[in-house]
Amino acid sequence: LAITFLILLGYPVPLTASQIIWLNLVTDGFLVIALALEPKEKDLLRGAWRLTKGFLVNLVSIERILLMGMVMTLGTIVLFDQYLSIAPEKATTVALTTLSVFQWFNAWNCRSERVSIFVSRFRDNTFLVWALAIVATLQLFALHAPFMQKVLHTVPLALADWIVIIAAGLLIVMADELRKVVYRARLSTAPRRAE
């Protein structure tokens, strides 16, 4: 979405092909594997559950996809626009890193559809902690190692840049926490299924 909207708005392409591959294989790959090892939630089968028609993607999933996609898209567009006047290569590096950081935080959001990340215990999924440490280290490697700079067309980012990017990344946590509050309220008012 970020790439599509930026192109439609007349901006240059914000990510190179190698950067897109980096996001999909490295950033997403480790986090997805760690999420697959997430322990099941307590009381998972209790509450007001309705039988579904067997769709893999339900209304809640669609809401989450749209909300998270919108936050990631807007955050990336705003930061890319701000850094483009400084240097195009720095703008693409910021866009790449912003999307990576969004994914880091969103992985914690995805641990539960309804439970706040501030309630979930981090030690319950040490795989995710390690995955985050690995992808953060690899991202730093991608920005600072000369070989990776050539492959991914990146430049080093200053601490101030990281602060801006991490602040933007936290928006996805805030958005999903609000969504979870609404979701829990809906569950509490939904009619209970027959036992």
Side-chain angles (χ1 to χ4, degrees), residues 36-112:
L37 300 170
E38 179 73 22
K40 69 177 182 177
E41 290 180 38
K42 292 178 181 178
D43 301 327
L44 183 63
L45 299 178
R46 295 183 185 203
W49 300 101
R50 290 188 296 271
L51 291 174
T52 65
K53 295 181 181 177
F55 294 108
L56 184 62
V57 179
N58 59 17
L59 184 59
V60 175
S61 299
I62 292 169
E63 287 174 356
R64 289 179 85 181
I65 290 166
L66 291 174
L67 179 61
M68 300 304 108
M70 184 177 67
V71 172
M72 289 182 186
T73 300
L74 289 175
T76 305
I77 288 173
V78 168
L79 291 185
F80 183 76
D81 177 65
Q82 288 181 347
Y83 280 88
L84 192 58
S85 59
I86 299 170
E89 204 161 54
K90 185 161 189 177
T92 59
T93 302
V94 167
L96 170 69
T97 307
T98 301
L99 286 167
S100 294
V101 170
F102 273 133
Q103 294 291 58
W104 301 351
F105 286 119
N106 198 40
W108 293 100
N109 286 338
C110 291
R111 291 183 67 200
S112 173

Side-chain angles (χ1 to χ4, degrees), residues 2-11:
I3 293 169
T4 302
F5 279 115
L6 282 166
I7 291 171
L8 290 174
L9 292 169
Y11 286 89

